[in-house]
Amino acid sequence: MEEVYRDLIEIVGADYVSREPEELFMYSRDPGTMAPCRPDLVVLPGSTEEVREIVKLAGRHRVPVVPLGGGLVLSGITRPLKGGIVLDMKRMNRVLEVNELSRYAVVEAGTSQGMLQAHLKKHHPGLKHSIPDAPPIATIGGNVLIHGSGHLSAEGGFHSEMLNGLEAVLPTGELVRTGSCSASPYWFSRAPLPDLSGLFIGWHGTTGVVTKLGIKLYPDRPLSDVLIFVTDEPEIVPEVIHRLSGTQMAEDLLAMMAPKPPWMRGFQMVSVNYAAETKRELTLKRDLFRESVKKFIDQKIGGFMPLPDDMKGRFLEAPQSSLAVFADVNKGGGFEYVGAIMPIELLAAAYQRRVEIAERRGVTYSLGARVIGLGHCMMFFYAYAFNRADEEDVKRAQAALEDTNRAALELGGIPWKAELPAQKEIIKKLDPAAFRLMNRLRELLDPQKIMNPGNWEA
Ligand SMILES: Cc1cc2nc3c(=O)[nH]c(=O)nc-3n(C[C@H](O)[C@H](O)[C@H](O)COP(=O)(O)OP(=O)(O)OC[C@H]3O[C@@H](n4cnc5c(N)ncnc54)[C@H](O)[C@@H]3O)c2cc1C
């Protein structure tokens, strides 16, 4: 490690390598429940060339490399399970190109959500990207590569579906481009070539280090509004979502169920965020949303809730701050959620299982679901807040998360950005041929087994 340390200083300069205990302490954990794992070294590259040199050095010494963006994934998949180097991408944060006409941006992987949002507001005010509700320091790379979702997901699907192509350093140090940018100066789409971008999405940093991404942008319309549909009959919610999303006019659709304040208990809400160029278009859209669920309003089993302006403002902000406020409700900064990707027809059953688990485990919870695409599926989130300084509280949350992951799999969903125990549960259910193929691809890409080892292993 002494030699690796010295060589890393040669590559990036002494300011960007650390083995100081207080820094290693910070890089050994995330805000979730998983136990810390201490890295040997932390390095912050400033260019693709530096990333290549670092990965080649790690390969020569067979030292693990764990790519890190904002470190906010919560499920502990950026903890260096087998020690080695944490490769923090935050210095690689430039917006390289914005193509206004073809609506895409090319960014370095460590560009944060907040940076791209601010850049577009200032230099390209007619365009926006889809923003997750994570704190703004979360990176574009970290989010796209885990199949994140955000405030334009009803329009454009998972953030990985908004990816047009990428540049990556393979575990051998070779540089590769995928998507249209591999054969053209334009980063316009993943079609029509074989889709190699998939080799880096959902792999938890086990197949390479992504250095650049091309992502889709969307119109930033001047007017926006939100509607909240409320019902106390959970079984109608999937059809409500189906009908609202079928209008193809929502930017974001969220189902929410809150245990607090007490009067909210039992009510299910669906928020519909939409935007328009003119007042006439906004009114037309509102009327069509109402029309789509008229049947339930006529039957008096649901309806739209009047919203005061300050509440509307909160629903319209991106990222929405309510989840971040909930994240610290128990104080002590502990927060984690199971995001289960599942079809919308499982919403009522997922809600029921969730309430049972929370009551059995006695944990503070919040839950809801973000609709992906036109109701093609949802990311159902079961969120738990806990005090990290209170061991018992951490254990309670951990047990609830494990129960929840198992329940999601039993129902027919798949845990998203899964913690280590949940990865193993998924592998048990996975088609053995698919798992064999994953392993063969990994052996091919990473013959030295240096990339984020320990993840996606049986
Ligand atoms: C309050 C709160 C709300 C949230 N809301 C949302 C939400 O609405 N939608 C959502 O999608 N998420 C949400 N999240 C979860 C998470 O914070 C985000 O998904 C975040 O964008 C992850 O990005 P990151 O940069 O922190 O990734 P990291 O945690 O740094 O990394 C995630 C994974 O990607 C890998 N990785 C990172 N960078 C690279 C790279 N350059 N090359 C290869 N692999 C890489 C890492 O090894 C790791 O496996 C929320 C989190 C919090 C705390």
Side-chain angles (χ1 to χ4, degrees):
M1 276 302 163
E2 191 57 38
E3 196 183 329
V4 176
Y5 177 62
R6 277 201 308 274
D7 287 352
L8 284 176
I9 293 177
E10 281 292 306
I11 298 170
V12 297
D15 285 350
Y16 301 114
V17 187
S18 178
R19 55 179 177 182
E20 296 304 318
E22 63 274 24
E23 273 159 345
L24 299 185
F25 174 88
M26 291 308 294
Y27 280 95
S28 67
R29 58 192 62 224
D30 75 4
T33 56
M34 292 286 111
C37 298
R38 197 167 173 278
D40 295 290
L41 296 161
V42 177
V43 61
L44 288 94
S47 68
T48 297
E49 226 12 76
E50 288 181 4
V51 174
R52 294 185 67 191
E53 289 307 313
I54 295 165
V55 170
K56 280 197 257 179
L57 173 72
R60 280 198 302 278
H61 291 268
R62 296 195 173 223
V63 172
V65 177
V66 179
L68 176 89
L72 285 163
V73 77
L74 304 172
S75 47
I77 56 179
T78 53
R79 295 169 307 146
L81 299 174
K82 303 193 173 168
I85 302 170
V86 169
L87 187 116
D88 184 340
M89 295 295 288
K90 288 190 201 65
R91 277 179 74 215
M92 293 183 60
N93 61 9
R94 287 177 306 155
V95 178
L96 301 169
E97 186 192 340
V98 173
N99 184 322
E100 290 205 351
L101 205 58
S102 296
R103 294 200 182 100
Y104 67 77
V106 182
V107 299
E108 288 186 314
T111 304
S112 72
Q113 302 291 338
M115 281 172 170
L116 181 59
Q117 188 181 24
H119 181 93
L120 293 174
K121 256 195 175 44
K122 190 165 173 195
H123 301 290
H124 308 277
L127 290 171
K128 60 184 177 184
H129 78 291
S130 182
I131 298 169
D133 290 317
I137 195 172
T139 62
I140 305 288
N143 185 262
V144 166
L145 298 177
I146 56 166
H147 296 288
S149 56
H151 82 301
L152 296 178
S153 280
E155 195 170 340
F158 287 111
H159 292 161
S160 46
E161 294 173 82
M162 300 177 188
L163 177 74
N164 285 351
L166 52 80
E167 177 192 86
V169 173
L170 299 181
T172 49
E174 291 156 278
L175 193 64
V176 67
R177 281 192 170 189
T178 69
S180 63
C181 70
S182 64
S184 152
Y186 299 99
W187 294 60
F188 55 85
S189 84
R190 282 177 26 208
L193 301 169
D195 191 8
L196 298 177
S197 302
L199 289 173
F200 305 94
I201 305 169
W203 286 87
H204 299 176
T206 58
T207 52
V209 183
V210 173
T211 43
K212 293 188 184 96
L213 304 96
I215 59 163
K216 291 186 169 67
L217 302 176
Y218 294 83
D220 190 7
R221 300 187 177 94
L223 303 174
S224 55
D225 210 344
V226 58
L227 289 169
I228 308 277
F229 184 90
V230 191
T231 179
D232 59 359
E233 303 210 11
E235 39 319 319
I236 69 165
V237 177
E239 194 183 335
V240 169
I241 291 174
H242 178 76
R243 286 167 172 267
L244 290 168
S245 59
T247 61
Q248 293 187 260
M249 291 183 313
E251 288 192 332
D252 197 9
L253 272 170
L254 282 165
M256 292 165 290
M257 313 89 186
K260 283 182 187 164
W263 63 265
M264 295 268 290
R265 199 179 273 261
F267 283 108
Q268 314 265 321
M269 295 185 288
V270 180
S271 67
V272 189
N273 284 34
Y274 59 106
E277 291 295 331
T278 62
K279 275 200 165 163
R280 210 170 117 229
E281 186 189 344
L282 202 68
T283 308
L284 175 68
K285 284 184 169 170
R286 186 201 61 200
D287 292 347
L288 291 173
F289 284 127
R290 286 177 182 278
E291 189 62 33
S292 72
V293 289
K294 186 171 175 298
K295 135 178 172 187
F296 300 113
I297 298 171
D298 289 347
Q299 290 169 20
K300 299 194 184 325
I301 53 176
F304 288 97
M305 183 170 119
L307 267 187
D309 280 347
D310 63 324
M311 253 175 107
K312 252 190 196 179
R314 258 181 278 151
F315 279 105
L316 287 171
E317 66 186 1
Q320 287 196 9
S321 53
S322 55
L323 203 52
V325 171
F326 170 77
D328 202 29
V329 76
N330 277 21
K331 302 299 166 201
F335 174 59
E336 188 171 339
Y337 62 98
V338 169
I341 313 296
M342 46 174 84
I344 56 174
E345 63 251 46
L346 293 181
L347 201 129
Y351 174 66
Q352 194 46 44
R353 290 294 288 272
R354 171 64 200 85
V355 173
E356 283 160 22
I357 293 169
E359 281 171 6
R360 191 168 68 241
R361 296 289 180 185
V363 285
T364 309
Y365 71 96
S366 151
L367 67 162
R370 171 164 263 138
V371 176
I372 310 293
L374 305 181
H376 294 112
C377 64
M378 62 181 177
M379 191 277 285
F380 194 100
F381 58 88
Y382 304 77
Y384 306 97
F386 54 92
N387 181 349
R388 269 196 290 169
D390 176 347
E391 245 175 67
E392 287 309 308
D393 210 19
V394 178
K395 277 194 197 141
R396 261 197 303 276
Q398 212 162 31
L401 286 159
E402 280 180 22
D403 288 357
T404 310
N405 276 319
R406 267 195 298 275
L409 276 164
E410 277 162 24
L411 283 172
I414 302 175
W416 163 62
K417 63 181 177 62
E419 305 88 352
L420 217 54
Q423 288 176 29
K424 295 198 188 297
E425 294 292 323
I426 295 172
I427 290 169
K428 277 190 213 155
K429 277 201 87 175
L430 198 60
D431 167 19
F435 189 52
R436 275 199 303 277
L437 181 59
M438 279 173 74
N439 283 322
R440 289 216 312 264
L441 288 169
R442 219 167 141 184
E443 276 163 29
L444 184 74
L445 291 167
D446 185 11
Q448 313 273 44
K449 299 188 170 47
I450 56 168
M451 293 304 306
N452 207 357
N455 281 281
W456 284 134
E457 289 173 14

